[in-house]
Amino acid sequence: MKNIKYTTTIILAGLFTITGSGCKKFIELSPVDNRVSENFYKTEKDANEALNSVYDALQWHTNAGGGGFSPDPMMADIASDDSYAGGASRSDSPDMIQIDQQKIAPTNSLTRVYWGNHYTGIYRANLLLQKLPDINMPAAAKAKIAAECKFLRAFFYFDLAKWFGNIPLITAPQSPGEYCVVNASPAQTFNQIAQDLVEAMPVLDKSDLRTSKAHATRWSAIGLLGRVYLFYKGVYKAELQADGTAVNGPYVLTQLQDLITNSGHDLLGAYADNFTKANEFSKESVWEISYSNDNPWFDWNYIQGGEGNMQPLMQAPRIEGDPLYSTGWSFAPVTQELYNSYEANDPRRTATIINMETDLKGKVSVGYQHTGFFSKKYTTTAEYRPTTGQYELNWGNNYRSIRFSDVLLMAAELDFTNGGSQAQNYLNRVRNRVSLGSKTVTLAAIYQERRAELALEGIRYWDLLRQGLPAAAQAITISGKKGPGYTGDQVDYNVTFNQATRGLFPIPQSELDQCSSVLKPNF
């Protein structure tokens, strides 16, 4: 079920990002047709097409500057203790291995792609917000588009702030000579994120994602606010301010309880159903990023022009002759530590992890850092196999960015830490769905439940960081340990978490070189 077509013909200069050396060459490009920014932003149709271009940037795992593929959930899993880098061999993606080994260079191509893609989305949102007041359209429709732009800007900035820390904070389109911007403090950036979400929440539709046709809803904004607050509070030990609104634990808990009680969202009956094609935009999905093969794509030189998701292909096993799975690239092989972390009778393990010995029927080619385990949630299942277009570029698996179970566990954490009485109930709802008995609610129990419930969805790394750098180091640092299915030298599986980097990506060297007068390294 794909509802947003991420296609547009607006002038490239009006849509690409504006910070760093990777931006100027885009700004100098000629228009792709005669609708330049000066004559485009006139009608409601124009505004909606421009909004689609903001959503478009959510899909990107590469960009026109090249440099590899950087799906956010997969990179976060590789940085955590749930996955290794993997791939065909040690030379397949050295930049992904840097993320796995916590030794990321400022010249890493994946972080540069990630930075550029997110600032592209921010620029598109800023540009539309600037143009909206002068567009001829009903006030209510205009307000809703503005709210969606703020939600999307918050989403992009949250990703950047998690990975890079001190980043440029840009809330309006820039002109030549303004491209270089000083690093903002985390407090400035996170307060802006909170403000965008608080302003968007009352305007966005109170609907599910099927009704909204995959557009962000009030409930999407509340779910994201919960995630933003818990990360900021855990990592920076401070509260947030959204203009005149104090965004603290009680405030965020109240919003999450509104979502739980009034949104109509709920848990699906079977845990594994969350990741099937039939359950895209299901009642459990609070925020979801849409992908498809509805627009068959062939162009390896402009991959982001299509609508495919690279992550399923990247982390699927290199397999031939299996009736359920098509061959992939074997990145992000799953660790023995994650496999062992589940309770013995927890069905989420088999719904989350492909065990090569029991789940695969075809012939598997062993790749780098092979463990015998692969992600089952986002992979090359038969129902998603592209029927047209380039095989590698058209996987349509949607990414369930915020699920209702995550909302319940966020609420349990905030309720527990703020002296409420519902934390046990929220925790039990998640466990009851998979027929596990009640467990006494503690912070440790909530974190363990989050690992089991949300594994291989790009959440674990951030949960470790917000528990503190020593906790992250204890979990991620591995030396002298190999699982029984591992293939390769022990050194390939040793990881040391570097607390000096605070778990951050370095700001790309190309950005620092371009803006050396104002932009500084983040560690």
Side-chain angles (χ1 to χ4, degrees), residues 91-104:
S91 61
D92 194 356
S93 180
D95 288 347
M96 196 71 79
I97 294 172
Q98 288 181 13
I99 294 171
D100 174 32
Q101 298 293 312
Q102 300 282 326
K103 298 177 180 178
I104 308 167

Side-chain angles (χ1 to χ4, degrees), residues 112-127:
R112 175 174 54 79
V113 165
Y114 192 86
W115 175 283
N117 288 348
H118 280 65
Y119 273 110
T120 297
I122 290 165
Y123 181 74
R124 292 180 174 190
N126 286 341
L127 182 62

Side-chain angles (χ1 to χ4, degrees), residues 418-453:
N418 285 276
S421 60
Q422 293 299 308
Q424 186 70 64
N425 175 53
Y426 296 145
L427 178 62
N428 285 349
R429 284 183 68 177
V430 176
R431 291 178 61 79
N432 288 345
R433 193 252 297 268
V434 290
S435 300
L436 294 176
S438 178
K439 178 186 288 187
T440 301
V441 66
T442 63
L443 280 181
I446 292 170
Y447 274 120
Q448 177 55 36
E449 200 65 29
R450 290 181 63 80
R451 187 180 194 189
E453 176 70 23

Side-chain angles (χ1 to χ4, degrees), residues 16-328:
F16 280 93
T17 185
I18 37 62
T19 57
S21 60
C23 0
K24 284 192 173 181
K25 62 183 177 183
F26 293 126
I27 291 174
E28 293 163 0
L29 291 174
S30 300
V32 295
D33 71 358
N34 62 357
R35 295 190 299 160
V36 296
S37 57
E38 288 76 11
N39 65 24
F40 176 76
Y41 295 90
K42 302 297 183 184
T43 68
E44 185 172 359
K45 181 178 181 295
D46 294 343
N48 280 302
E49 185 174 347
L51 178 63
N52 282 352
S53 80
V54 188
Y55 278 96
D56 180 31
L58 292 170
Q59 294 181 326
W60 295 356
H61 297 153
T62 187
N63 63 32
F69 309 105
S70 54
D72 178 275
M74 192 183 81
M75 289 197 305
D77 288 334
I78 288 170
S80 80
D81 54 343
D82 283 355
S83 297
Y84 290 105
S89 66
R90 186 181 283 106
S91 61
D92 194 356
S93 180
D95 288 347
M96 196 71 79
I97 294 172
Q98 288 181 13
I99 294 171
D100 174 32
Q101 298 293 312
Q102 300 282 326
K103 298 177 180 178
I104 308 167
T107 53
N108 187 292
S109 64
L110 302 181
T111 63
R112 175 174 54 79
V113 165
Y114 192 86
W115 175 283
N117 288 348
H118 280 65
Y119 273 110
T120 297
I122 290 165
Y123 181 74
R124 292 180 174 190
N126 286 341
L127 182 62
L128 181 51
L129 285 167
Q130 181 191 67
K131 298 290 186 179
L132 264 177
D134 296 326
I135 296 177
N136 182 22
M137 59 187 296
K142 190 179 295 188
K144 183 173 177 295
I145 287 178
E148 289 188 62
C149 282
K150 290 178 181 179
F151 170 85
L152 292 167
R153 182 169 66 183
F155 187 87
F156 290 127
Y157 264 126
F158 183 42
D159 278 352
L160 286 168
K162 286 185 300 183
W163 279 119
F164 295 98
N166 299 66
I167 57 175
L169 179 59
I170 305 164
T171 56
Q174 295 164 282
S175 301
E178 301 176 339
Y179 299 144
C180 292
V181 178
V182 67
N183 313 61
S185 69
Q188 290 172 308
T189 302
F190 276 91
N191 283 335
Q192 180 62 53
I193 293 168
Q195 181 174 331
D196 276 348
L197 293 173
V198 168
E199 290 177 355
M201 284 178 344
V203 183
L204 293 171
D205 288 345
K206 293 183 178 181
S207 67
D208 58 36
L209 292 174
R210 292 193 180 192
T211 303
S212 75
K213 299 187 183 301
H215 287 252
T217 69
R218 170 183 171 85
W219 316 119
S220 307
I222 290 174
L224 182 57
L225 182 65
R227 192 173 282 176
V228 168
Y229 173 78
L230 283 170
F231 181 81
Y232 186 74
K233 178 69 172 179
V235 172
Y236 296 103
K237 315 301 180 188
E239 308 290 348
L240 292 169
Q241 286 287 331
D243 199 6
T245 301
V247 181
N248 53 26
Y251 174 87
V252 176
L253 177 59
T254 298
Q255 306 308 314
L256 292 175
Q257 289 172 331
D258 181 26
L259 192 166
I260 292 167
T261 304
N262 299 313
S263 69
H265 286 290
D266 202 351
L267 300 175
L268 292 175
Y271 176 81
D273 286 351
N274 274 291
F275 308 99
T276 62
K277 194 171 186 178
N279 283 295
E280 291 177 344
F281 309 118
S282 74
K283 65 180 180 180
E284 187 161 342
S285 192
V286 176
W287 172 234
E288 188 164 321
I289 297 175
S290 180
Y291 294 91
S292 82
N293 66 346
D294 293 345
N295 177 32
W297 201 250
F298 296 87
D299 191 352
W300 281 98
N301 293 315
Y302 190 66
I303 293 171
Q304 70 272 30
E307 296 179 22
N309 185 352
M310 293 298 297
Q311 181 168 333
L313 173 85
M314 292 185 73
Q315 58 191 25
R318 295 173 180 269
I319 191 166
E320 299 293 341
D322 194 286
L324 296 180
Y325 303 100
S326 300
T327 190

